[in-house]
Amino acid sequence: MKLCFTDSFQFLLRNRNQSPIPEVTWDSGLKEMNETWKGAIACLGVAVFFVMTIGIIYWQVVDQPNKNWILRGSTSGLIWERKSQSLVLQTLSEEKTLVEINVGNFPDMEQPFVKNLCWLNKTEFCYTWDATADLEISLEPGPSAGTECYRINWTPLHCKVTLKDCFSMTNVSWYGGASIRAQRWPLNNVNTKSQPFVISNLTKNPTGYGSVLEKYFLGSTGVTVTVAPDVPISLSVESNRHFCLESPSSISMFPLQYMVCISQNITSAHQEVGSQLSEQERRLPNTDILGLPIWRHYKAADSAAKMERGLRSFFNRLKRHHLGEGLIALNEHSTMLLSNADHMHLPMASRKMHALRHTRDPSLIKSLKFSITLSPYTSINSQLFLMSLQEGKENYWLSLQSKFDSHPTPLLTKWKGQFSVRLNVTNDAARNWYMDRVSLLWQRLGAQYVTFEGAEGNTFAEQTVQPPKELEGDKYIGIFALMAATLGNSTIISAVTRSNHLPLFIQMTPLQSDWSYAGLKGIIPSVLHYSLLGYNFFIPDAVGGTLANEFLTEEELYIRWLQIVTFLPVMSFSTPPWVCCDKWVLNLTRQYIQRHQDFVVPLIVKFSKEWLSWGYPIFRPLWWLSPNDPVTFTIDDEFLIGDEVLIAPITEQGQVQRDIYLPGEGLTWMDTNTAQVFDGGTLIRNYSVSLVEVPVFVKAS
């Protein structure tokens, strides 16, 4: 990063003491031409100069090749495309275009031919765009012999230069990047305005990027784009045209740096580049939760005693309906009721609940399996915050430094409708203080899991305040994820980036209770997106969605949703089946929970070993087995578990049949419902699927 300076300097070079050059006369031995010959030669010179000028202009404008190679590797090379102002990565034979990068920085400039200023080095290309920006491209060794990489580095040469490169979607399907409210697969079907490429709080910014994000993009031609992690960028996506990486225009003169790698096909590209996003050793979270259906118990209560009695009643009802042993998830409000009753002063604690402790019977919940929910926020009306001010611990919260004295002023924000402050995760004392209290509460209550929410979003940026350097971009989320991981492997978190090596479960984005991509249809695209970026251990939103904040009553939607989550890591419920539907749906729910425990959990445990060893996703798109088949690039309603099981649920309302594509030419697949066997690489049209069925195929060979 460079800073701009506008000072100008002038230099005058003089030499006043030079001796005069003596005049010399000499004879060439030739006679002086007469005036006629002089005129003829002058006319000939003018004619030659005129012809040469016309030739140069014609070469530059007309006869100049439309493209020229600027860098060549062993299997591919970069071409400058004059008409489209693009860098084109092609195979050396020019048979296949791998990616086209439109140079959007200088739209008004004509560059008929770009010349390599690093002409002595055949593995580098250098060029300066009209004193506006330097471009450096270097050929880099790939992670394996089959991968070739190009490091592209734009550097602005003065202030307020916007660096912008756009990657074409023509004949390329793109994946990766960030999750969004209505997830799509591939990225080609997304429309987002240019905005900072950071995780937002989707409650405050529904059109932002949220939950899971990596600066990694994968193309169906076997190309990957990886942005330097510490370089701030904005991202925009224009549906079916391109996605654009853009540097901020500021006095800091941020560069735009990324790596483009090409491999044999899309599967090998992800195996060699995407699966190695984190260079740190991967660790498994506590997989005991895989076999435990999660029941969200968010019933309102105004005291710990009432809440505990409600929990016991809910647990007894689960037992009465033979729904098996599960995990009851408490929200932050319920967790705070318990913490207040135990005099645990954690964020969001309230003094008015302390007097109710004598009404509690702790034995009511000691035998239950449950999780608690916490956040880094605390209300400004809480006893905890007031005590921190009295004790001079204002710096325990994100703060603004006063211009008049050395005392920090806590930065005010809103969390769940209350004016609050947020934990300062860059303060060692604040982190230790917070985690000590979390550990103590977890231990006293006897909870099995702890869920952390509220890590997403940049509090400074949301209020248009320049954040300190240590909290720029998504750095708050990264620090908070490391904090959560120190509790062990029984931790759930709501947002992550650059943390797929940590032993954490990820709570997926809440969904609408409908059939759209913001609801049921968005589940499988989200599953594929999370797993592609290395986050295989996630908890899907509860059956039926939770954004409506009320119980689901549509029977068909409940059943189709239930069928999808059966084949995901954890089954999560918000609407109890006895509330939603008829008794037969309750029996169906019981059957699917059993199927998840007996069939799906062993598969996830099996393929988690591949993730630990090689970073391969557990939940895979169909192109994993058919990387050269364009049909597989846009299928967003089927997925693989490992490379052995294919799930093809119904995602359209009112449908009892669907088309199913079976990948892998040369493979055979068996339908577990009918025992029918089909060849891989084929499309089965109008396959019958009743309301109580979900098509599941296992690889037979």
Side-chain angles (χ1 to χ4, degrees), residues 10-29:
Q10 293 183 346
F11 297 94
L12 183 61
L13 302 178
R14 295 178 180 175
N15 191 342
R16 299 179 178 178
N17 299 320
Q18 291 179 342
S19 301
I21 300 175
E23 186 175 332
V24 177
T25 59
W26 53 284
D27 188 359
S28 65

Side-chain angles (χ1 to χ4, degrees), residues 605-659:
V605 172
K606 175 182 178 180
F607 287 104
S608 67
K609 296 175 183 176
E610 288 192 11
W611 174 75
L612 280 174
S613 299
W614 305 310
Y616 294 175
I618 295 175
F619 300 92
R620 302 171 183 175
L622 269 60
W623 49 251
W624 190 267
L625 294 180
S626 295
N628 299 311
D629 189 345
V631 174
T632 64
F633 297 156
T634 56
I635 294 177
D636 66 353
D637 57 359
E638 301 178 37
F639 64 95
L640 298 162
I641 302 178
D643 56 3
E644 293 182 3
V645 177
L646 181 142
I647 316 297
I650 293 287
T651 60
E652 297 285 347
Q653 185 176 15
Q655 294 297 311
V656 290
Q657 60 183 18
R658 60 157 294 168
D659 294 345

Side-chain angles (χ1 to χ4, degrees), residues 83 119 214 438 490 498 545 607 646 655:
K83 288 184 178 179
W119 60 275
E214 297 292 342
V438 171
S490 296
R498 298 204 299 273
F607 287 104
L646 181 142
Q655 294 297 311

